Amino acid sequence: MKKDFLKRIARAFMVIFPTLMAFLALTGCNAILDDEPEPCPVGLEIRFVYDYNLERANAFPAQVDCLTLHIYDAEGKYVTTRTETSSVLSDENYRMAIDLPEGEYRLVAYGGAECGKASFSHTAIPASGSKDTELGMKLNPECLEPGNPAGHLHDHFYGSLKVSVKRAPQLTPVTVKMMKNTNHFRLILQHMTYEPLDGHDYEFKIVDDNTLFDHNNLLVDNGMVTYTPWDCGSISTGTGEIPGDNASGNSSTITEVQIAYADLSTSRLMTMRSPKLIVTHKESGSELINIPLNNYLLALRSNHFDWCGEQEFLDRKSDWQLFFFLDDPRHWNSAFIRVDDWIVRINDIDQ
C-alpha cells in the first residue's frame, strides 16, 4: 500500500512539475518572494551587426572599435545615450543591455565616432529636450587638409532601428544593422612601356559634396570639398616585358617595373551626387584624368552583383583599387578597375 501511494504521488508530481515550471518561467519575475513582488526586467539586449557588405558577413567585431547609441522615445524626444570604447566590441557575443520603461523607441547608433581618432563629429550633441531630427554628423575639417594624416579617414558606421519595449521575463533581444560611411581608394598609375613613375609627380584628388549627414544618414548640401592623398609614392612590382613591333617581333625585358600609387579616403558615395576623380601631372600641369567616379565604380556592378541596386552596391563596397595605364607620363591611355578578383576594362564612359 505504501509503495502504491508513493507511486501515485510521483506520477502526480511528474504531471504537475512541467506545468509549474512553465508558469514560473512566465511569471517568476512577478512571483511573490517574502512579501514583495520581484519586478520583471524591462529593457533591451542589443546586438550590433555589420553585414551590409558584398560578402554579406558580419564584420562588426573586426571593424568597429567604438560605439555610440542614442535613444529617442515615440515622439522623437531624446532619452539617453550609451557608449562603448573597450575591446568587448571585438567579441561576437557582445550585447548592450539597457533598462528602459515600456514604450516605443528609436535607436540610432554610430560606430567610430567615439574614438580618439574619429573622423566625424555630431553636428549637435543630443541633450534633454532635443529631437532625433536634430541628429547629424559632419566630417572633421582637419581631414581635408592636404598632407594631414587625418585624411586617412577612420571607418565610420551608422545604424537605426525602431523597437517596442514590453515587460517580459528577460530583456527584449533586438539587432541594429550598421552600414559603413567611409571609402578607401588605392589609385595606381603604370606606364605602357614600364617607364618608372612616382606618385609624388602627380596631384590626385576626389571632389565631392558629401561631408554632412542628416538624422537618416542622408547627405545634406554642404559645398564641394577636395579629398587628397594621405599617402603616395612608388612601388616596385618586379620585371616586365615590352612587346616588340609587328615587323621585328622582338621584345625586351626590363629588370624592374616602378608604378605610382596614391591612397585616399572619402565619405559616403551616393548616386545623388557627382564626384570627380582628377589626376594632374604637376610639372606640366597636364590633366591626365578627369572622370565621373560613380560611373566607373558602378561599371563593376556586373551580373555577379545583380542582387543589389546601384546605391546599395556603392554602400556595400568600401575598398577600391583603380588602375590607369599611361602611354606618356602626361597622357592617359586606358584603364581598368579591379575589385577583389573582378576586373572591368573601360574604354569610354559618358561624363
Side-chain angles (χ1 to χ4, degrees):
M1 289 291 294
K2 186 174 182 181
K3 286 185 178 180
D4 291 341
F5 176 74
L6 292 175
K7 287 181 180 179
R8 286 197 298 271
I9 294 272
R11 283 197 295 268
F13 181 76
M14 293 299 292
V15 172
I16 295 173
F17 182 74
T19 304
L20 177 62
M21 293 305 296
F23 174 78
L24 290 175
L26 291 174
T27 62
C29 56
N30 285 322
I32 297 178
L33 300 177
D34 297 325
D35 295 325
E36 297 294 330
E38 179 188 352
C40 280
V42 183
L44 299 172
E45 183 183 72
I46 309 170
R47 182 190 183 200
F48 299 88
V49 170
Y50 168 52
D51 59 6
Y52 198 68
N53 47 55
L54 291 182
E55 294 77 19
R56 290 179 279 192
N58 181 25
F60 183 92
Q63 296 194 28
V64 180
D65 54 358
C66 58
L67 182 66
T68 309
L69 179 70
H70 303 305
I71 302 176
Y72 296 84
D73 66 16
E75 298 178 351
K77 294 180 180 178
Y78 175 73
V79 175
T80 189
T81 293
R82 295 288 187 273
T83 61
E84 182 57 72
T85 59
S86 75
S87 60
V88 298
L89 295 176
S90 63
D91 184 351
E92 175 68 35
N93 297 314
Y94 169 72
R95 303 292 186 270
M96 181 181 283
I98 299 178
D99 294 329
L100 288 169
E102 293 184 85
E104 305 294 319
Y105 297 92
R106 181 192 177 196
L107 312 180
V108 181
Y110 294 103
E114 202 65 32
C115 310
K117 51 188 174 181
S119 298
F120 290 81
S121 304
H122 289 84
T123 53
I125 302 298
S128 178
S130 66
K131 302 289 291 290
D132 62 340
T133 52
E134 298 173 36
L135 261 181
M137 279 281 169
K138 59 184 177 181
L139 183 67
N140 296 332
E142 60 269 21
C143 296
L144 297 170
E145 297 174 1
N148 193 325
H152 185 189
L153 302 186
H154 188 63
D155 285 337
H156 183 73
F157 300 82
Y158 166 86
S160 179
L161 181 69
K162 290 186 177 180
V163 298
S164 295
V165 174
K166 297 179 180 179
R167 188 172 297 277
Q170 59 186 9
L171 298 177
T172 302
V174 297
T175 299
V176 176
K177 295 273 192 171
M178 310 289 285
M179 66 171 289
K180 187 184 288 188
N181 276 338
T182 42
N183 292 272
H184 301 287
F185 289 86
R186 167 150 284 205
L187 309 180
I188 299 290
L189 301 182
Q190 180 174 322
H191 199 282
M192 294 292 289
T193 58
Y194 304 115
E195 292 184 28
L197 300 178
D198 190 334
H200 293 100
D201 296 332
Y202 299 89
E203 180 183 82
F204 301 85
K205 59 185 180 182
I206 294 175
V207 181
D208 201 355
D209 180 0
N210 61 346
T211 59
L212 183 62
F213 292 88
D214 69 7
H215 63 289
N216 287 320
N217 202 46
L218 296 177
L219 293 176
V220 178
D221 292 345
N222 197 40
M224 301 296 288
V225 299
T226 299
Y227 297 93
T228 55
W230 50 267
D231 188 26
C232 69
S234 62
I235 305 172
S236 175
T237 62
T239 60
E241 185 176 276
I242 303 173
D245 56 35
N246 293 333
S248 67
N250 295 325
S251 62
S252 60
T253 301
I254 57 177
T255 58
E256 184 180 36
V257 179
Q258 182 176 302
I259 61 176
Y261 76 90
D263 292 320
L264 297 87
S265 300
T266 75
S267 179
R268 186 184 184 190
L269 299 172
M270 296 195 70
T271 56
M272 62 185 287
R273 304 291 179 181
S274 301
K276 292 274 190 177
L277 168 61
I278 303 170
V279 180
T280 304
H281 185 253
K282 290 181 179 178
E283 184 179 356
S284 66
S286 175
E287 192 174 84
L288 282 72
I289 302 167
N290 188 332
I291 60 173
L293 184 59
N294 282 351
N295 295 32
Y296 275 63
L297 300 181
L298 288 171
L300 294 160
R301 200 179 66 87
S302 61
N303 291 338
H304 182 65
F305 301 116
D306 59 4
W307 49 268
C308 64
E310 292 186 345
Q311 183 58 57
E312 183 175 346
F313 179 77
L314 291 177
D315 287 334
R316 283 182 178 269
K317 184 61 188 173
S318 59
D319 291 291
W320 310 86
Q321 292 179 314
L322 285 71
F323 289 75
F324 297 90
F325 291 85
L326 311 178
D327 56 4
D328 182 280
R330 297 176 297 278
H331 295 93
W332 173 36
N333 177 270
S334 61
F336 69 79
I337 306 175
R338 186 180 73 201
V339 177
D340 297 331
D341 295 328
W342 288 83
I343 295 176
V344 175
R345 299 185 184 278
I346 301 172
N347 295 318
D348 184 38
I349 291 185
D350 294 336
Q351 296 193 34

